Amino acid sequence: MMSAGFQLSVIGSLALSVASSVAIVICNKALISTLGFPFATTLTSWHLMMTFCTLHVAQRLHFFEPKAIDGQTVILFGLLNGTSIGLLNLSLGFNSIGFYQMTKLAIIPFTVLLETIFLKKRFSDSIKLSLLVLLLGVGIASVTDLKLNLLGSILSGLAIATTCVGQILTNTIQKRLKVSSTQLLYQSAPYQAAILFATGPFVDQLLTNHSVFAHKYTTPVLGFIMLSCLIAVSVNFSTFLVIGTTSPVTYQVLGHLKTCLVLSFGYILLHDPFNARNILGILIAIFGMALYSYFSVKESKKKATNDALPVSQSSIIVLLLVSLSLTQQIDSANS
């Protein structure tokens, strides 16, 4: 049986991931849309540099012990994750918003396919059905148009492949090499930051027709950049923590919960446009998440295993209830 302490740690990692991700979306929206700083790839490289510096200080203060990992493994892993971030940004730049959302939705079925083929993992029909309901809901809520082009489609395909492989490796490396999420992030963050720091300005120039070096850095812009970098430390840490204690598929399910929350909070706090289709999609997605949790817990009881995955799914239900309650409270306060 899994200890109560482990269950609380999983719930805590999921809650931290949701809270930090929603916070950084709101912060970056203000930075990009309101303050006019559109250089997302370069900003991500600064996020990773800040993450490494923070973890280095924590390591020097003995908050955790670093663990040596094979250099080639760490370098390839870091470069792969950095490349996936750059490709996702390029995919957004060369595709419509709707096609970009479809790219993100495709990550779950592609991850399931890769884990089935290469890791011999088995997903029941019930789990596949619940994931299908989830993806349908998020698609209804977030996908607006589907304009196709050859270059954009190639970039999206590469982004899906690198993201899936990177997240599967995040889970596999932690479990097989017995390293913690903090140790793996500390070792790989410099390489992720390096590839984005080198390519980010060129990618952003290509996407925005503006140079990050020529931008006017006012005090509010610098303040929001620093705030974004600080929140990103929590985002990056919780990402590795969630994937390490659960699975890549669970992390993607959690990611779509974040999408629903961002849409909801965007409507409540920022008065973004919201319609019946958005509401219907979010409700279907939540139903899909509930099914995913129910079937996972049910199957885990039958198998009587000590896997961490079922706890993570039941934890998503807890987060859903808390998130919905918080949304209602905010809505009531604004009424």
Side-chain angles (χ1 to χ4, degrees), residues 80-107:
L80 177 66
N81 276 342
T83 301
S84 73
I85 295 171
L87 286 170
L88 281 170
N89 285 339
L90 284 171
S91 174
L92 177 59
F94 284 92
N95 289 303
S96 65
I97 296 295
F99 192 81
Y100 174 71
Q101 290 295 338
M102 287 299 295
T103 298
K104 294 202 297 183
L105 291 178
I107 291 173

Side-chain angles (χ1 to χ4, degrees), residues 14-332:
L14 292 168
L16 177 63
S17 179
V18 171
S20 58
S21 295
V22 173
I24 202 168
V25 166
I26 294 173
C27 177
N28 287 351
K29 181 168 184 176
L31 180 61
I32 294 171
S33 300
T34 305
L35 298 177
F37 185 85
F39 310 107
T41 310
T42 302
L43 180 64
T44 304
S45 72
W46 297 344
H47 288 170
L48 288 162
M49 290 172 64
M50 174 67 80
T51 299
F52 172 72
C53 291
T54 302
L55 289 178
H56 184 68
V57 171
Q59 181 265 323
R60 298 289 291 180
L61 295 175
H62 304 291
F63 282 103
F64 73 94
E65 290 296 325
K67 185 173 182 178
I69 305 175
D70 175 63
Q72 185 177 2
T73 299
V74 172
I75 292 173
L76 290 176
F77 172 74
L79 293 178
L80 177 66
N81 276 342
T83 301
S84 73
I85 295 171
L87 286 170
L88 281 170
N89 285 339
L90 284 171
S91 174
L92 177 59
F94 284 92
N95 289 303
S96 65
I97 296 295
F99 192 81
Y100 174 71
Q101 290 295 338
M102 287 299 295
T103 298
K104 294 202 297 183
L105 291 178
I107 291 173
I108 281 185
F110 199 79
T111 300
V112 169
L113 178 64
L114 288 179
E115 290 196 306
T116 300
I117 294 174
F118 295 104
L119 300 181
K120 308 303 179 184
K121 190 171 181 178
R122 292 292 176 262
F123 296 87
S124 68
D125 291 339
S126 299
I127 292 294
K128 292 176 183 176
L129 175 63
S130 63
L131 291 174
L132 181 62
V133 174
L134 164 65
L135 295 175
L136 175 64
V138 176
I140 292 173
S142 61
V143 175
T144 53
D145 61 285
L146 287 175
K147 296 179 181 178
L148 303 178
N149 67 81
L150 179 59
L151 178 59
S153 298
I154 293 172
L155 290 171
S156 291
L158 291 173
I160 292 169
T162 54
T163 300
C164 292
V165 173
Q167 291 180 0
I168 291 172
L169 285 176
T170 300
N171 178 269
T172 303
I173 290 173
Q174 289 186 58
K175 290 183 176 178
R176 292 189 178 178
L177 299 184
K178 292 181 172 56
V179 297
S180 69
S181 55
T182 308
Q183 291 167 333
L184 180 58
L185 181 58
Y186 178 61
Q187 294 283 350
S188 63
Y191 301 104
Q192 294 182 60
I195 189 169
L196 291 176
F197 190 76
T199 61
F202 300 103
V203 172
D204 289 333
Q205 175 89 35
L206 184 64
L207 297 177
T208 66
N209 292 322
H210 293 88
S211 171
V212 66
F213 302 110
H215 189 77
K216 184 178 180 181
Y217 291 89
T218 62
T219 300
V221 169
L222 291 174
F224 269 87
I225 288 174
M226 182 57 65
L227 178 60
S228 179
C229 288
L230 291 174
I231 298 173
V233 175
S234 177
V235 172
N236 291 326
F237 173 72
S238 63
T239 295
F240 277 61
L241 189 60
V242 167
I243 295 176
T245 56
T246 60
S247 74
V249 172
T250 297
Y251 176 73
Q252 285 300 322
V253 171
L254 189 69
H256 292 307
L257 168 59
K258 298 172 193 175
T259 299
C260 293
L261 289 176
V262 168
L263 288 171
S264 301
F265 288 141
Y267 168 68
I268 294 169
L269 300 177
L270 305 176
H271 307 293
D272 287 344
F274 213 65
N275 54 41
R277 192 189 70 185
N278 298 132
I279 297 172
L280 175 63
I282 289 174
L283 291 176
I284 293 175
I286 290 174
F287 179 63
M289 292 176 209
L291 286 177
Y292 180 59
S293 299
Y294 171 76
F295 288 130
S296 296
V297 173
K298 184 178 179 181
E299 290 175 11
S300 71
K301 289 180 179 178
K302 288 182 179 179
K303 295 177 182 178
T305 64
N306 290 324
D307 197 287
L309 186 59
V311 179
S312 66
Q313 270 85 66
S314 61
S315 303
I316 290 178
I317 288 293
V318 175
L319 289 174
L320 278 170
L321 294 175
V322 172
S323 301
L324 289 172
S325 175
L326 178 60
T327 302
Q328 291 171 353
Q329 291 174 19
I330 295 173
D331 198 14
S332 299

